[in-house]
Amino acid sequence: MSRFGDLEAAIMDVMWAAGGPIRVRDVADELNRSRPLAFNTVQTVMDNLFRKGWLNRQKSGRAYWYVTVRSREDYVAGLMGEALAVARDPAATLVRLVEDLEPSEVAQLRAALNAAAEREAGQ
Amino acid sequence: MRAMIPYLLVAYAIAVAGSGTWWLRRASWPVRLPRLGIAVWQALTFTVVASALLAGLILAVPCLRVWADWPGLKACVMSVRAQYASPGGALATTAGGAVTLFATGRLAWFTVSALIIARRRRTRHDEALALVGRHGPAPGMTVLDDDRPAVYCLPGRRRIVLTTGALRRLDSPQLNAVLAHERAHLTGRHHLVIMFAEALRCAFPRVRFFGIAANQIGGLVEMAADDAAARRAHRLTLADALLTLASARVPAGALGAGGTAGAQRIRRLIDSPQPARGARITAAAALALIAAPAVALSAPALAVMAISHCPPSASHAHVMTTAGQSMHGTGPETAAHLTIAGASWTSGAETAS
């Protein structure tokens, strides 16, 4: 993770909460409610986020107005898509906990599990 | 006989792949001792790959050991030339060289590209997680806001990800069991085990053996992580957690033949197979059986190459006659280098006479 990892996340939270185009000044003011941050720091990190493709910006007057490229839900959906992908992943990018089961298997396994738990409790 | 070594190696690779697969898939001990099972599958895979590559290499370069010294190099060039002089030898050398180069290149390509792809995807995934995920209850844990239950780990990043859907469905002991499973994956570097097995499958899709090995290793890796988790939590707790997570995701109306790998895993935790007394010995014997022939077969192959440029004596005259006039004056030591090249095409005459 980058040096500004946490700050990037905080800025994106402010951006998503804002819902519309806002300036660096507005973001810095919002962040300053919880922690003191230099305007330049916020500007640098927002510039990074723009370069990484997380934010779009447009110059209006003397200031840039920033908007998010995609909604938070879009990103979560993308991550979940990778996490729940059905296809085999030869590169083993992620290691998933459990494969999908058939409905009939679920019922059988649940019955077997209950029986085993009762056996153990009886001993 | 020397000329037969590459073909014997190929035959050995095919035989060991076939019999090894037949036996390992029927044996019950790999499921009881998954880590040993993984080791045996890996040894089997390695043996098959090594024998095949060595066979190609011996065909292509009949004088592997002589590159170090100058007269040796000269002799080697001459021996390769001598081999090319016969039609059969030239064909074998070219084919052996081409196949070895092709196979090595393909394997290297698929391994390296899988590593690079995985690294890039993980970096991207991790960056997105850093921005949209929340810190989990333990360090290295990230929580994603999604009602679908999912738990997974990002190996290179040592990060475990859970959805709110998974957190909501698991109680505290179940959560601990699940985390222990994921930590076992991370500390065991299971992604590399899977990646190498899959790289072989992708590099040689027509060789069914590698596909079977990748499937088996993939299943055993999960069982190994289950066993590690079962040492920290009760195995029934883990089984319950896995079943809860999997059943919440079952697609409605999707019906298949059953007997999926996931079901086999959970069944194994419920039934709790005790490692049988003999299982460990059988497994160790399996490892030895697979490793020993590889050593035994490649050792003579290497030994032949080493020996062939030491005691010339008997083979000397024979080389003179086959390699021709250019040999005169090079001395016995250099001449001896030629025996192995000569062998590949004079052995036919020997057996004929």
Side-chain angles (χ1 to χ4, degrees), chain A residues 9 16 54 72 76 79-80 82-83 88-89 92-95 97-103 105-106 110 120, chain B residues 121-122 125 131-132 151-155 181-182 198 201 234-235 240 245 249 254 256 258-260 263 265:
Chain A
W16 277 315
W54 289 79
R72 180 185 207 113
V76 173
L79 291 174
M80 287 299 288
E82 283 178 41
R88 202 165 43 77
D89 172 20
T93 313
L94 312 173
V95 183
L97 178 67
V98 65
E99 303 86 346
D100 293 331
L101 299 179
E102 310 285 348
E105 291 175 334
V106 172
R110 183 57 74 187
E120 298 236 331
Chain B
R121 284 201 198 141
R122 282 189 202 120
H125 196 99
L131 296 199
V132 302
V151 181
Y152 61 93
C153 58
L154 264 180
H181 173 101
E182 294 300 313
E198 291 288 347
R201 184 215 295 264
H234 197 284
R235 61 189 168 76
D240 201 353
L245 292 176
R249 270 218 318 269
T260 55
R265 240 180 87 201

Side-chain angles (χ1 to χ4, degrees), chain B residues 110-290:
Chain B
F110 276 92
T111 308
V112 170
S113 61
L115 281 170
I116 292 171
I117 289 171
R119 203 187 147 91
R120 204 164 46 210
R121 284 201 198 141
R122 282 189 202 120
T123 306
R124 218 183 46 219
H125 196 99
D126 196 51
E127 271 178 12
L129 272 179
L131 296 199
V132 302
R134 300 179 202 291
H135 290 295
M141 228 165 101
T142 304
V143 177
L144 264 185
D145 280 328
D146 197 288
D147 203 45
R148 289 169 289 178
V151 181
Y152 61 93
C153 58
L154 264 180
R157 307 271 157 175
R158 306 201 60 77
R159 196 193 276 276
I160 299 171
V161 185
L162 298 106
T163 59
T164 42
L167 277 177
R168 190 164 56 76
R169 287 174 176 88
L170 299 176
D171 61 24
S172 175
Q174 288 174 337
L175 182 64
N176 283 335
V178 161
L179 289 179
H181 173 101
E182 294 300 313
R183 289 201 189 100
H185 276 320
L186 293 177
T187 50
R189 299 185 180 279
H190 289 165
H191 61 294
L192 293 179
V193 175
I194 298 171
M195 195 274 295
F196 283 124
E198 291 288 347
L200 271 171
R201 184 215 295 264
C202 294
F204 310 108
R206 278 161 183 270
V207 184
R208 273 188 55 225
F209 165 70
F210 293 131
I212 296 168
N215 284 342
Q216 296 284 324
I217 287 174
L220 290 172
V221 155
E222 291 302 328
M223 292 179 191
D226 283 344
D227 285 356
R231 281 193 285 273
R232 309 227 159 196
H234 197 284
R235 61 189 168 76
L236 290 183
T237 309
L238 178 63
D240 201 353
L242 294 179
L243 195 54
T244 303
L245 292 176
S247 58
R249 270 218 318 269
V250 169
L255 269 170
T260 55
Q264 197 198 345
R265 240 180 87 201
I266 298 173
R267 170 67 72 178
R268 173 178 171 273
L269 280 172
I270 294 171
D271 294 346
S272 158
Q274 294 300 316
R277 222 169 247 283
R280 222 167 270 274
I281 297 163
T282 314
L287 257 183
L289 264 177
I290 291 166

Side-chain angles (χ1 to χ4, degrees), chain B residues 29-173:
Chain B
W29 61 263
V31 170
R32 293 181 197 166
L33 301 165
R35 281 173 63 183
L36 211 48
I38 295 167
V40 172
W41 271 108
Q42 282 178 325
L44 186 61
T45 317
F46 177 80
T47 302
V48 170
V49 173
S51 317
L53 288 185
L54 193 61
L57 205 61
I58 295 173
L59 268 182
V61 192
C63 46
L64 277 179
R65 251 204 63 174
V66 293
W67 294 99
D69 52 294
W70 163 241
L73 182 66
K74 201 162 142 196
C76 187
V77 170
M78 276 154 63
S79 74
V80 171
R81 196 187 291 161
Q83 181 162 2
Y84 269 97
S86 78
L91 191 69
T93 306
T94 315
V99 168
T100 309
L101 266 181
F102 176 74
T104 315
R106 227 177 130 75
L107 188 54
W109 168 258
F110 276 92
T111 308
V112 170
S113 61
L115 281 170
I116 292 171
I117 289 171
R119 203 187 147 91
R120 204 164 46 210
R121 284 201 198 141
R122 282 189 202 120
T123 306
R124 218 183 46 219
H125 196 99
D126 196 51
E127 271 178 12
L129 272 179
L131 296 199
V132 302
R134 300 179 202 291
H135 290 295
M141 228 165 101
T142 304
V143 177
L144 264 185
D145 280 328
D146 197 288
D147 203 45
R148 289 169 289 178
V151 181
Y152 61 93
C153 58
L154 264 180
R157 307 271 157 175
R158 306 201 60 77
R159 196 193 276 276
I160 299 171
V161 185
L162 298 106
T163 59
T164 42
L167 277 177
R168 190 164 56 76
R169 287 174 176 88
L170 299 176
D171 61 24
S172 175

